[in-house]
Amino acid sequence: TGDRTITVTYTVSGAPPAKATLNVTAREFAYATNNSPSNLCSLGHGYEYSYLYTPYTHPDHAAVQEGIGVDGTAVTEGFSPAVTCQGVSVQTGGGALDSNSQFTDQIQFCSSQPLPSCGQQTTQTIAIEQYTVRKNSLTFGSTLTYSSQGPSQ
């Protein structure tokens, strides 16, 4: 806390220059960890996972604290290659950090009918304010194969 000093010098017409100094905390979003959710698909075929992510910062390697006013901070994700499996739904929850300084990612391939064959593999990249905090390898099939490729710490 208070690891950076910002000094601003300003001048008001007809007065001598004034200086203001403020100690601030500077952090960079660095990585995110997640829970291991259960399959919520109750339709008989496929899967529905809701991953809850906690972001961490550098240089302190600490989880972003809840209630510090970062709710609404943009969370984006991309897939390479794009997900083309018919019926697969992937999306981040709200595209922003919530009031607990966390975000949710939902991955669904759930149906009451047998699922079409897919087997597509993709890399999911998640960023907070353009800082890459996580890359995951995803393979969509009768089950979801999900593994982290970092970054971590």
Side-chain angles (χ1 to χ4, degrees):
T1 302
D3 62 353
R4 303 286 191 276
T5 302
I6 296 176
T7 302
V8 177
T9 303
Y10 56 95
T11 317
V12 176
S13 181
K19 214 180 246 191
T21 301
L22 179 66
N23 287 327
V24 297
T25 302
R27 296 289 179 266
E28 172 186 318
F29 291 108
Y31 61 97
T33 60
N34 64 298
N35 63 339
S36 297
S38 299
N39 185 353
L40 301 174
C41 178
S42 60
L43 299 177
H45 300 278
Y47 40 87
E48 178 180 345
Y49 294 106
S50 184
Y51 292 93
L52 180 64
Y53 285 92
T54 301
Y56 289 76
T57 59
H58 280 322
D60 60 349
H61 301 277
V64 178
Q65 297 172 354
E66 64 181 69
I68 62 168
V70 295
D71 50 313
T73 301
V75 176
T76 57
E77 73 175 334
F79 295 90
S80 181
V83 179
T84 58
C85 297
Q86 182 180 12
V88 172
S89 172
V90 289
Q91 62 189 44
T92 55
L97 295 180
D98 64 18
S99 61
N100 294 320
S101 301
Q102 297 176 312
F103 64 95
T104 302
D105 185 35
Q106 303 224 317
I107 300 174
Q108 301 175 29
F109 194 21
C110 180
S111 176
S112 59
Q113 303 298 315
L115 298 171
S117 178
C118 183
Q120 181 182 358
Q121 185 173 14
T122 187
T123 298
Q124 175 192 40
T125 302
I126 301 173
I128 302 174
E129 285 297 332
Q130 301 179 7
Y131 291 101
T132 298
V133 294
R134 182 79 177 222
K135 286 190 177 200
N136 297 316
S137 175
L138 304 172
T139 303
F140 299 96
S142 57
T143 60
L144 174 68
T145 304
Y146 172 102
S147 62
S148 171
Q149 297 176 329
S152 60
Q153 302 187 34

